[in-house]
């Protein structure tokens, strides 16, 4: 079966796309309201903050995820169709046909690799959007404000930790 053949998967994709369209519409309405009430310059001074930029990064980042998922779905469908055709026509011994099949498999695996990379980065963006929600609740806002104030210290700690960790990694590889 091709990847997109599942009704549940297609339903989840439709719901996800609807949520993204709703989120984009809300942002456009917010931009329009800012423009209407305060003028063009207010879009840069009042609207463009860290959280609104994060919303747009989330919306923009979802588009490549959707495109690559569709490419992967189509590539897997092509592989399945080619394999079914080879079996039906009993051409599994034909090297030219097998070469064409392997090229389709290469395309599908490359698309799967791209999809994995995008799906690695997208949850990070979604997690950062959670901090926007945290700001609206006073106790959780304390956490985000604390993280904002100590961000440079956390960055320095992360750098030192990475250097020490990779030194141990290299030492372990050399042993």
């Amino acid at each position: 079966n091709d990847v997109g053949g599942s009704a549940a998967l297609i339903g989840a994709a439709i719901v996800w796309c609807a949520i993204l369209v709703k989120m984009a519409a809300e942002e456009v309405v917010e931009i329009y309201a800012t423009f209407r009430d305060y003028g063009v310059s207010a879009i840069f001074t009042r609207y463009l903050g860290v959280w609104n930029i994060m919303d747009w990064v989330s919306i923009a980042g979802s588009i490549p995820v959707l495109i690559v998922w569709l490419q992967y779905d189509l590539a897997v469908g092509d592989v399945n169709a080619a394999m079914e055709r080879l079996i039906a026509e009993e051409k599994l011994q034909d090297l030219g046909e097998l070469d064409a099949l392997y090229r389709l498999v290469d395309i599908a695996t490359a698309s799967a690799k791209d999809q994995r990379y995008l799906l690695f980065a997208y949850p990070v963006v979604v997690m950062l959007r959670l901090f926007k929600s945290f700001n609206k609740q006073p106790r959780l806002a304390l956490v985000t404000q604390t993280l904002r104030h100590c961000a440079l210290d956390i960055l320095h700690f992360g750098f030192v930790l990475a250097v020490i960790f990779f030194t141990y990694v290299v030492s372990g590889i050399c042993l």
Side-chain angles (χ1 to χ4, degrees), residues 30-47:
E30 191 176 347
I31 289 172
Y32 176 72
T34 303
F35 169 73
R36 182 191 63 220
D37 295 342
Y38 302 104
V40 174
S41 63
I43 292 172
F44 300 104
T45 58
R46 289 182 175 265
Y47 173 77

Side-chain angles (χ1 to χ4, degrees), residues 5-145:
S6 167
L9 188 59
I10 291 172
I14 289 171
V15 168
W16 183 59
C17 288
I19 290 170
L20 290 172
V21 168
K22 178 186 176 284
M23 191 166 56
E26 288 172 351
E27 291 299 318
V28 168
V29 166
E30 191 176 347
I31 289 172
Y32 176 72
T34 303
F35 169 73
R36 182 191 63 220
D37 295 342
Y38 302 104
V40 174
S41 63
I43 292 172
F44 300 104
T45 58
R46 289 182 175 265
Y47 173 77
L48 278 182
V50 173
W51 304 121
N52 287 329
I53 290 171
M54 191 56 57
D55 285 342
W56 283 110
V57 167
S58 176
I59 293 165
S62 64
I63 294 168
V65 169
L66 182 63
I67 290 170
V68 170
W69 176 72
L70 289 172
Q71 286 175 341
Y72 176 64
D73 185 39
L74 293 173
V76 169
D78 291 344
V79 169
N80 288 341
M83 190 65 182
E84 288 172 2
R85 186 181 55 78
L86 286 177
I87 291 170
E89 296 174 3
E90 298 180 1
K91 291 187 175 181
L92 290 174
Q93 302 300 324
D94 186 355
L95 294 179
E97 294 286 336
L98 287 176
D99 187 48
L101 176 67
Y102 287 135
R103 273 184 272 156
L104 289 175
V105 170
D106 285 342
I107 292 169
T109 55
S111 183
K113 181 179 172 187
D114 294 342
Q115 185 181 28
R116 279 196 306 272
Y117 287 141
L118 285 173
L119 291 177
F120 163 76
Y122 190 70
V124 173
V125 173
V126 171
M127 180 199 64
L128 290 174
R129 285 195 69 241
L130 284 175
F131 286 113
K132 181 179 182 180
S133 312
F134 289 177
N135 255 354
K136 295 186 183 189
Q137 208 277 340
R139 290 185 185 202
L140 294 174
L142 181 63
V143 173
T144 58
Q145 290 170 3

